[in-house]
Amino acid sequence: MAKDYYNVLGVDRKASKDDIKKAFRKLAHKYHPDKGGTDESKFKEITEAYSVLSDDKKRREYDTYGQAFPGGHPGAGGQGGNPFGGFDFSQFQQGFGQGGVEFDFGDIFGDMFGGTRGQARAPRGRDISIDLEIPFKDAAFGTTRTVLITKVSTCALCQGTGAKPGTELESCTTCNGSGRVHETRNSILGQFTSVRTCVACEGTGKIPKEKCPECKGHGVHRKQEEIKINIPAGIDNGEMIRMPGQGEAIKAGTAGDLYVKVHVKPHATFRRDGANLVMNLPVKLTDALLGTTVSIESLEGKTLEVKIPVMKRAEELLRVAGKGIPMEGSRGDLIIRLEVALPHKLSGKAKKSVEELKTEGL
Ligand SMILES: [Zn+2]
Ligand SMILES: [Zn+2]
């Protein structure tokens, strides 16, 4: 399912910002839905590609991770650790003409949007973002967290209708049940008609005969909610999990999304290098010269017997296969960085032995 954004725009991976903009402009003109019913999904695809590739930061992240996690991390359950898996076009559309998007639409669409700017868009609840700190081990193997979030949610008592349970809803007289009202304004440029969400029924077209006592007829209300977050194995520091529909609810429209930014606490022993775990292991001078076997504790807390070979250099890397970070159905390796630890102090006896070694040319 991974989309190659460069392919979508038909540009080279090294394409400049200007080239990307040019390619997008050309395709946008060709596929824009207002241009006579061409393929809307194609338009979404190119807009999505452009929104990522035109943003230096997103492009860099995409270049690094984009192809590595098609459709999110393994076990992510569709929620995706991939910050781009969750691109939501409806949010994007809301930004049109409101300055809410990072690049200049006016520049690109100025000639096409003439009459359409004033149209009401499907209302959508606010997105929420939270930060979550988890231990290194939990990030490696995956975990779940339950968090309490205070947000606007659908009223459980009336199921969002706003009506007292057992009572009926009537058609809204302000908008004649359409949920929208048309407003016509005259200006020096001519007459403008805009469509707004009806304030009386909040866009639903219906008014409760008796208001729900819990939400006072709004269908939604602010409350504290427990949300369970599945954190996929292998998630890295700074990665984002998107939970569609877990943002704020809205009476007539879809709920926003919840974004969870994951912060991974550093580990005392291990650090991460892609799918590999890296640790330092000091080796006594005599062990380095003679070789030995040591016991170390793996990230999951198991004892590993590791054979240290006779070292030829003061620093050597040792690889223990399959003891790294689980990712994409397999596991990375554990890389042990062996470092010869020189003695801080030599006893008289030890010094004599070393002097003997010296006579042997060591
Ligand atoms: Zn209610
Ligand atoms: Zn109404």
Side-chain angles (χ1 to χ4, degrees), residues 3-11 20-33 35 38-54 87 89 92 96 103 105 108-109 112:
K3 273 183 226 153
D4 184 335
Y5 290 145
Y6 292 99
N7 250 342
V8 169
L9 294 182
V11 293
I20 288 170
K21 191 170 177 175
K22 263 184 219 155
F24 172 65
R25 189 191 295 252
K26 212 169 126 195
L27 290 167
H29 272 88
K30 188 169 167 195
Y31 289 109
H32 192 272
K35 285 275 181 180
T38 44
D39 189 353
E40 198 187 336
S41 65
K42 183 77 191 166
F43 181 66
K44 280 186 187 181
E45 199 175 78
I46 59 173
T47 315
E48 177 181 331
Y50 182 63
S51 78
V52 173
L53 297 186
S54 62
F87 186 87
F89 190 73
F92 204 71
F96 273 117
F103 52 88
F105 268 113
I108 290 162
F109 293 124
M112 296 192 287

